[in-house]
Amino acid sequence: MSSVISVVLPIFGLILVGYLCRRTDRLGATAASELNRFVVWLCLPALLFRTTATASWADIWHPGFIATITLPTLAIFAITLGYRLRGKRHLVDASIDGLGAAYANTGYVGIPLSLLVLGEAGLGPALIATLIVVCVLFAIAVVCIEIGLQAEQSYAHAVAKVIKALARNPLVVSPILGTGWALSGAPLPGPLDEFLELLGDATTPCALVSLGLFLAQKQTGSTQGAWGLVGIKLLVHPLITWYLAFHLFALPPLWAKSALLMSALPTGTGPFMLAEFYRREAAVVSRTVLLSTIGSMATLSLCLYWL
């Protein structure tokens, strides 16, 4: 329990700082949006590029673990997306909801928690899970959002617009460029690597402070559906992963435990950043991030006790 609290409390602290800065008018009404744009256009692309460019693909190729993380993550995203669409929700908003149900906070909570619980050996699985969530799931959600934003009647024109929009999206372009760099075998030059590391390290605090700023504003949208997303993230996701890791794929103990921990994590700030970036209603997803982070103290504690 103490290890969970030691990781989660700093996250709440950063959210609280943003909340108090807005409530006391230390930061203005547009601060949440502008800080979020800073994350989306500079910090997160730098993190994605550096992570993929410096990844050792031989070390991260563990098919059973990759399948254990990827299958439930994408299945939950797809099922939530379809359910929201049946409820007459717009594709853009349904995509963000799907991301809220499937997007585990592997980077901000998962990596430090793995190091605390599993030691240095837990870093590898946590990094693989982060790559899958941040690059694969995030990119799929962005593609769905861009498709939903198109109003063209012509299929060919719509596809062309989506491709053009994706080509300008830093969250899609940066991991692709990073993968290309990794495949070239060339190391990142020292100054460039340090530059990217400095920007990437700002992702966590800026995104969480931005979330606090948003929560301090008067919430005009409905938060209906947030509890459902929280339940999927904290209960359904770990149960599916537990079956895959310990029974279907029978992963080695370290990798099975890491997979379960990664799936039991709260919703990360990624869905909130997308909602703000695309100027969509962010009340549901911001409440999901907050409630799942609080609830994860109980679910993660149960997982740790069981493990």
Side-chain angles (χ1 to χ4, degrees):
M1 183 65 177
S2 60
S3 62
V4 177
I5 294 175
S6 66
V7 173
V8 172
L9 280 185
I11 294 174
F12 276 117
L14 287 167
I15 296 174
L16 180 61
V17 165
Y19 183 90
L20 293 176
C21 284
R22 181 67 199 102
R23 282 296 188 181
T24 57
D25 210 28
R26 295 297 185 272
L27 293 174
T30 62
S33 178
E34 294 304 320
L35 187 57
N36 187 71
R37 290 177 69 83
F38 169 67
V39 172
V40 171
W41 282 99
L42 291 175
C43 301
L44 190 53
L47 176 64
L48 293 175
F49 178 86
R50 185 173 183 270
T51 301
T52 51
T54 58
S56 174
W57 300 104
D59 293 337
I60 66 175
W61 181 243
H62 294 272
F65 180 80
I66 292 173
T68 300
I69 296 294
T70 304
L71 292 177
T73 297
L74 296 186
I76 287 173
F77 173 79
I79 292 171
T80 306
L81 173 65
Y83 179 78
R84 293 298 208 209
L85 288 175
R86 286 188 62 186
K88 308 301 181 183
R89 196 153 169 81
H90 193 279
L91 177 58
V92 175
D93 301 305
S95 300
I96 294 174
D97 288 347
L99 201 61
Y103 191 96
N105 201 337
T106 52
Y108 305 162
V109 180
I111 290 177
L113 183 63
S114 292
L115 289 173
L116 282 170
V117 176
L118 302 174
E120 289 293 331
L123 181 59
L127 287 175
I128 296 173
T130 300
L131 284 172
I132 293 170
V133 171
V134 176
C135 296
V136 179
L137 176 62
F138 209 71
I140 291 174
V142 170
V143 170
C144 292
I145 290 171
E146 292 290 353
I147 292 173
L149 291 173
Q150 306 308 320
E152 289 281 352
Q153 297 299 317
S154 168
Y155 178 77
H157 288 172
V159 170
K161 279 194 171 184
V162 169
I163 293 174
K164 186 177 179 180
L166 291 174
R168 296 197 305 263
N169 193 305
L171 304 180
V172 175
V173 174
S174 54
I176 293 176
L177 293 177
T179 301
W181 190 290
L183 292 175
S184 73
L188 286 174
L192 176 60
D193 185 49
E194 186 174 353
F195 168 76
L196 294 172
E197 184 178 11
L198 287 171
L199 267 181
D201 287 345
T203 302
T204 301
C206 289
L208 293 172
V209 170
S210 174
L211 176 58
L213 289 166
F214 177 82
L215 293 173
Q217 299 172 0
K218 185 177 180 180
Q219 302 294 312
T220 57
S222 171
T223 59
Q224 184 179 2
W227 278 109
L229 298 180
V230 172
I232 293 171
K233 183 68 209 69
L234 296 183
L235 299 176
V236 178
H237 198 169
L239 284 174
I240 298 174
T241 303
W242 166 79
Y243 175 75
L244 294 178
F246 288 89
H247 296 280
L248 184 62
F249 293 112
L251 299 178
L254 172 69
W255 292 85
K257 292 177 181 179
S258 179
L260 182 59
L261 282 178
M262 293 300 102
S263 67
L265 294 169
T267 301
T269 55
F272 167 75
M273 289 190 293
L274 279 187
E276 275 288 290
F277 180 68
Y278 285 104
R279 308 292 184 185
R280 309 300 292 194
E281 177 55 58
V284 173
V285 72
S286 64
R287 183 63 60 87
T288 301
V289 173
L290 182 62
L291 294 176
S292 65
T293 302
I294 296 172
S296 68
M297 296 183 68
T299 56
L300 281 173
S301 297
L302 289 174
C303 286
L304 292 174
Y305 177 79
W306 183 75
L307 293 174

